[in-house]
Structures are given as C-alpha cells and as structure tokens.
Amino acid sequence: MGREEVQGMIRPILLLISMLMLCALSLVGLTGCGETQATETVERADIITIDEMRNFGRLERPVVLFPHDLHTQALAAEGKSCETCHIKMENGKYAPLFKRVANTDYDTVMNLYHDACIQCHKETTGDKTGPVTCGECHRKDAKFISTWTEIGFNRSLHYRHEQANMEKCDHCHHVYDEQQKKLVYVKNQESSCRDCHKKEKIDNRLSLEQAAHYKCFGCHLENPETGPTTCAGCHDKQMQMDIKVVEHPARLYRNQPDYTYLSPDDAELVHAKLPVVNFAHIDHEQYLDKCRTCHHETMKACNECHLLDPGEDAVTTVTLQQAMHDMQSKHSCAGCHAEKKSQTQCAGCHALMEQGKLTDHACTICHSGPKPDELAKMSTAARTRKPAGRNMEKLSFRMKDIPDTVYIGRLSNKYEAAAFPHKKIIEKLMTYIGDSKIATYFHGQEDVVCRGCHHHTPVGETPPLCESCHTRPFNEEDLLKPGLFGAFHRQCLGCHEAMNITEPSDCVGCHAKKAGN
C-alpha cells in the first residue's frame, strides 16, 4: 500500500475526530462546567430572573432563575435577615439590587454574584446545599417554571391600607416639587403609581417594580404583621384568592363630580355634532375596581388628553371619538360595555350579532344629553347636576299577542315540527335584562329583546317570518346569508352554546322522529 493511499484512509478519520472534539468543546461552552442532568421542573411564584449582565452587553450564558423565598427561608432558619444580600441605606430601606445600590461595571457586578453566592453555598450546612458550579446556575434546561401573577391594588386593598394608615394618604401618594427638589404630598393630586412609575426606570424615577418593592414591601418588612413579606405572599395566585376582600369599601374620593357630561373641551365644542353624553361617575365607581380602568395614564378628564382634532402639540393622537368608541380597548366606553355582552346571560343574543360595530340605537342611548351649543352656556354646577332618570319603554305590542309556542316545521322531512317555547324564552331574557342595570339602560325599550333572533327587524315592528329573508335552499349568489335550514340551526344552537345550555343535546331533543324513519 503506497503512502498516498495510507494518507487517503487516515484523512477522513482525522476529520471525524476533529468534528467530534469541536462538538464536545461547543457543548462545554454552551452548558458550562459541571452541567447537571435535566430534572423535573418545579412551579414557583417567587422566581426572579437574574439577567443584570444585560446592562453591559450580550449575555454569555443562560440567565439564572433564582427562587427568592427559598433563600429567605433558609437564611431565616440561620437567624439571618435581608441584610445578608441587600444593603441597608441611610433611610432604613433596603436597596433592591443584590449587594449594591447601583450597577457599576461588568467585572464588579459579576464578581459580586459569583463570590457571594458560591461562598454562601459552600458554607451552607446540611444535606441541601446550593449550586457551586457554573452550569448548575446557568442552566439551559430550566429547573423552575415561574407562576408569578401580577397583583392589582383594587378598591378593597386600597381601603384596607387607607384604614391601616389612619387615612393619611401621604404615606403612599406624592408628587415631585421642582422648587424644593423633593417628594411632597398635595391633596387632591393623588394618582395611580403607574402614572409616574413606568415599566422601566427613567432618570431618577424608579420603575413601577422598583417603587412597589421599595415602598410596599419595605413597609411590610417594617410591620410584618400588616402584610406579606414573601414573593409568593403577593404573587401566588392561590394566595391572592385568600386575601380578605372588603365587600363594600368606602368611596375613593378625589373631589370628582358624582355626575358630569362626557364632551369635548369647551374650545372644541363648536366642532361637536352630537348631543353630549350623560355620565354617572358615581355609578361607574361602584362597578369598577380601579380608577385606572378609565383614567389609564393620569387622573385628568378625558378631554384634557383626547381632542376631537389633535394637533402637533396634543398629548396623544388618539382622538376623543376613538378613546370613547374603540371596541378593542378596555379603557374605552364601548370596549368596556362590549365585554359585558360576553357574559353568559347576554351572549345568547350578542355572540351571534355582528361584532365590533355599534348600532344607531346604541348611539342615541348614550348621546342623550344637551346639544353642544347648549352645554357651552351651562355653568359648572349645571354640568355636574344629576340628570333625569330614564325609564324602560314598554313593548309596542301587548304581551298576550306574543305566541306561547311557535312550531317550526317548514323543513320537516324525517322529523316532526319543532315546538319552540317562544314566550317562555322572551320572559327569561327579559328577566336577565331586568336584573342588570346596564342591560336595562342600554336596551332602552323592551322591543329590543326581539332583535336577538329577528336581527334585521326595526325595533318596535312586528317581525316577519324567518323564511321572508332566508330561502329554503342555500342561495349561492348571497354567500353571507344562510338558507332557512342553516339559519334555524345557527341561531338556535349558537344561542344554546353561548349560554352553556346543554339540553337538548341531539336532534330528537327538538324534533320527534316521524313514524317510519
């Protein structure tokens, strides 16, 4: 065998060995030294993602998932406090960052974690000690799954804190005084924390997360008997459900009017076309848990930010019309009301109607206040006076004229005609409407209930038979209109499904089989 032949045989083997070595080195680089085998993941609400090195550039290793409560419990068992990991500042509060008040440079921050964490784990006694190698902390396979759940400061929690602080609002609420260069409390300027504290820290203004832990958690640490001092205490879903709820908390009063008109700013009233909207502020407060449901950025009136025709200097480009009518927004009137339609007792009719669109009937229900030119002449007192109530208009025909049962047998072939309990269903829907203040208000008159099925019949008119619009066979030239068979089954079965009605569950539940079939 010649030299060239031997080299030809060895070259592929050397290439294979080189590739295997590169793969092995790559795995070491990716997983780190001492990488542990994949284990079953654990769900916890106290997981903090340690990714501080992002502040200095791209991460070289996977982030660290840190079970905070697990560590505080272990430290407490040894008689240690938060000062083991957090610096106590001059004002008595703990700095939120680990072993430092602020980020400095890459090497300093990295060494803080490595030296302190690994050293503590090495000193820990007992069977369960913490990881001491790179791959045990910087894992590709997540050991923990975070079940962290955001907690909202609703009316009940606000009331409980208000009482605990003897109604001293300055414990939490503050604004920055430019002249004094410090935080001060100003009565009737109380606002949501989120109005100032955003997702990220801006200059010297803490992020919402930092502010909440600095102020709220800091207060709980000083007064352990008043509130939770663990991550799970606030952010575990089950523990949130166990928080005591005050059924009827006192009103959050900030000098707001009980009643007002939703309208453009006075300077823009000349451009308004419709009568303004009567708005019962006090009623909406009772239905909503948080002021920021509507006042999503500040506590200002809607028309201070949202204009009919925003110019270049406007606070937002979202017009007043959009802010009030956006069906997809949880902050808009129409969007919030649309969510109510998805409730079981409402969905039987509303789930089958055209979505994302308001009817002319709905417009006149809201826009029932003074005309714009009349509002411009009204005093402040007149603008905040309780408007006259609205009474539900009665049926335009007598209840006794409504048939008790309607027999649907136009398409009967294998089955007998279906006996439809017409009046019983109307009475049930009327009961649902009567039990809901918002439904009573927006239906306006009882005839509206008929449009749940007779959807194109004008309110107040006797509806024609379904087959007047829906022909027996399917009309291929009108694809958006089902045939009579499809219309009946879509309407009836669609209503049952939306309202979680399980019976009847099959064809014979509505249609008795004909003899011989």
Side-chain angles (χ1 to χ4, degrees):
M1 183 181 295
R3 181 178 180 181
E4 291 182 357
E5 291 178 310
V6 173
Q7 288 178 339
M9 293 176 64
I10 293 175
R11 192 174 294 114
I13 296 173
L14 292 175
L15 181 61
L16 178 61
I17 292 172
S18 299
M19 291 177 66
L20 291 172
M21 290 179 67
L22 284 172
C23 289
L25 289 171
S26 298
L27 287 172
V28 171
L30 286 171
T31 60
C33 52
E35 174 65 66
T36 58
Q37 297 296 318
T39 57
E40 186 176 346
T41 55
V42 179
E43 293 185 350
R44 296 184 65 97
D46 63 332
I47 301 302
I48 294 176
T49 302
I50 300 178
D51 59 353
E52 289 295 310
M53 305 314 292
R54 290 189 194 277
N55 295 309
F56 307 103
R58 184 172 176 272
L59 294 178
E60 297 179 3
R61 291 183 180 275
V63 298
V64 175
L65 301 181
F66 179 78
H68 192 276
D69 290 351
L70 188 67
H71 284 72
T72 54
Q73 291 164 6
L75 291 172
E78 296 183 6
K80 296 179 181 179
S81 68
C82 300
E83 291 182 61
T84 305
C85 298
H86 297 278
I87 297 173
K88 200 166 191 177
M89 299 181 291
E90 293 180 359
N91 60 5
K93 304 290 186 182
Y94 289 107
L97 296 175
F98 176 71
K99 292 284 186 181
R100 64 196 188 282
V101 176
N103 286 324
T104 50
D105 60 87
Y106 180 92
D107 290 333
T108 301
V109 175
M110 182 180 68
N111 291 333
L112 273 175
Y113 281 107
H114 289 169
D115 295 343
C117 297
I118 294 173
Q119 185 61 34
C120 182
H121 290 172
K122 286 182 177 179
E123 293 174 356
T124 302
T125 58
D127 297 331
K128 295 182 179 180
T129 59
V132 294
T133 61
C134 308
E136 289 178 298
C137 284
H138 297 277
R139 302 171 62 106
K140 287 182 64 181
D141 58 315
K143 183 178 180 180
F144 302 108
I145 295 177
S146 176
T147 57
W148 182 95
T149 305
E150 181 180 18
I151 185 168
F153 205 68
N154 55 26
R155 288 175 59 210
S156 173
L157 276 178
H158 190 284
Y159 176 75
R160 291 180 60 189
H161 282 76
E162 187 179 16
Q163 296 303 301
N165 286 289
M166 295 178 290
E167 299 186 2
K168 293 182 178 179
C169 304
D170 59 316
H171 283 188
C172 299
H173 294 283
H174 50 249
V175 294
Y176 185 73
D177 188 298
E178 288 287 351
Q179 293 184 339
Q180 301 183 58
K181 302 297 181 185
K182 67 176 185 180
L183 297 174
V184 297
Y185 169 70
V186 181
K187 188 173 178 58
N188 287 330
Q189 286 193 24
E190 301 89 353
S191 190
S192 170
C193 308
R194 299 167 186 264
D195 291 351
C196 292
H197 300 283
K198 305 302 181 182
K199 187 174 181 180
E200 303 293 337
K201 181 179 178 182
I202 302 173
D203 298 328
N204 291 327
R205 189 183 303 170
L206 298 177
S207 67
L208 180 63
E209 179 184 354
Q210 292 170 331
H213 288 84
Y214 182 80
K215 190 73 175 178
C216 306
F217 188 68
C219 182
H220 289 180
L221 284 177
E222 293 173 1
N223 308 279
E225 72 284 355
T226 62
T229 56
T230 63
C231 302
C234 286
H235 298 293
D236 179 80
K237 190 171 184 178
Q238 182 57 51
M239 289 189 176
Q240 288 180 9
M241 295 172 65
D242 293 337
I243 295 175
K244 179 183 177 181
V245 176
V246 179
E247 291 295 333
H248 302 289
R251 187 183 186 190
L252 292 175
Y253 190 67
R254 191 180 176 273
N255 208 31
Q256 70 270 30
D258 291 348
Y259 302 93
T260 188
Y261 291 115
L262 292 182
S263 70
D265 181 76
D266 283 0
E268 289 198 304
L269 274 175
V270 67
H271 302 299
K273 306 297 183 185
L274 294 173
V276 295
V277 176
N278 289 315
F279 182 72
H281 199 286
I282 190 170
D283 290 343
H284 283 74
E285 289 177 43
Q286 296 173 14
Y287 300 135
L288 303 175
D289 246 358
K290 308 174 187 70
C291 300
R292 61 183 173 87
T293 301
C294 300
H295 299 279
H296 50 102
E297 287 292 337
T298 69
M299 296 294 288
K300 296 178 181 178
C302 308
N303 60 18
E304 290 191 40
C305 295
H306 301 286
L307 307 177
L308 282 179
D309 185 20
E312 294 181 359
D313 299 328
V315 177
T316 174
T317 57
V318 178
T319 67
L320 184 63
Q321 190 276 339
Q322 291 170 330
M324 298 295 106
H325 299 85
D326 186 353
M327 299 287 282
Q328 306 303 317
S329 173
K330 293 181 179 180
H331 300 300
S332 80
C333 302
C336 184
H337 293 168
E339 281 193 345
K340 300 295 182 183
K341 298 175 185 177
S342 63
Q343 294 176 351
T344 304
Q345 62 269 35
C346 306
C349 294
H350 287 286
L352 301 175
M353 294 179 178
E354 185 177 358
Q355 302 299 306
K357 182 181 178 181
L358 294 172
T359 64
D360 293 340
H361 170 74
C363 298
T364 57
I365 293 294
C366 287
H367 291 274
S368 57
K371 294 181 180 179
D373 58 339
E374 296 172 354
L375 182 67
K377 302 172 186 176
M378 294 174 64
S379 64
T380 302
R383 292 186 183 200
T384 56
R385 188 178 297 128
K386 183 178 180 179
R390 295 180 64 255
N391 295 318
M392 167 101 60
E393 296 178 25
K394 295 302 179 183
L395 288 168
S396 57
F397 43 85
R398 294 175 299 177
M399 182 63 82
K400 69 177 186 178
D401 293 333
I402 300 175
D404 291 338
T405 305
V406 174
Y407 292 93
I408 304 174
R410 299 287 181 177
L411 300 174
S412 57
N413 184 8
K414 294 182 179 180
Y415 301 94
E416 299 289 351
F420 180 69
H422 189 267
K423 183 176 286 188
K424 181 180 177 180
I425 289 175
I426 289 178
E427 290 173 345
K428 187 65 175 178
L429 292 176
M430 291 299 296
T431 300
Y432 284 144
I433 293 171
D435 290 342
S436 169
K437 191 172 182 179
I438 187 172
T440 301
Y441 188 89
F442 277 94
H443 285 79
Q445 60 190 77
E446 293 181 352
D447 288 20
V448 175
V449 72
C450 302
R451 296 194 70 184
C453 294
H454 303 283
H455 35 259
H456 289 299
T457 303
V459 175
E461 294 187 14
T462 303
L465 296 175
C466 301
E467 62 193 70
S468 300
C469 295
H470 300 280
T471 56
R472 294 192 182 189
F474 181 72
N475 186 354
E476 296 180 358
E477 296 181 358
D478 193 351
L479 298 178
L480 297 179
K481 183 186 294 182
L484 190 58
F485 178 88
F488 278 134
H489 288 80
R490 177 183 179 276
Q491 195 76 13
C492 298
L493 297 179
C495 177
H496 287 187
E497 182 179 2
M499 298 186 75
N500 296 326
I501 299 172
T502 57
E503 296 292 339
S505 58
D506 54 16
C507 300
V508 294
C510 289
H511 314 273
K513 271 195 173 185
K514 284 187 174 182
N517 288 315

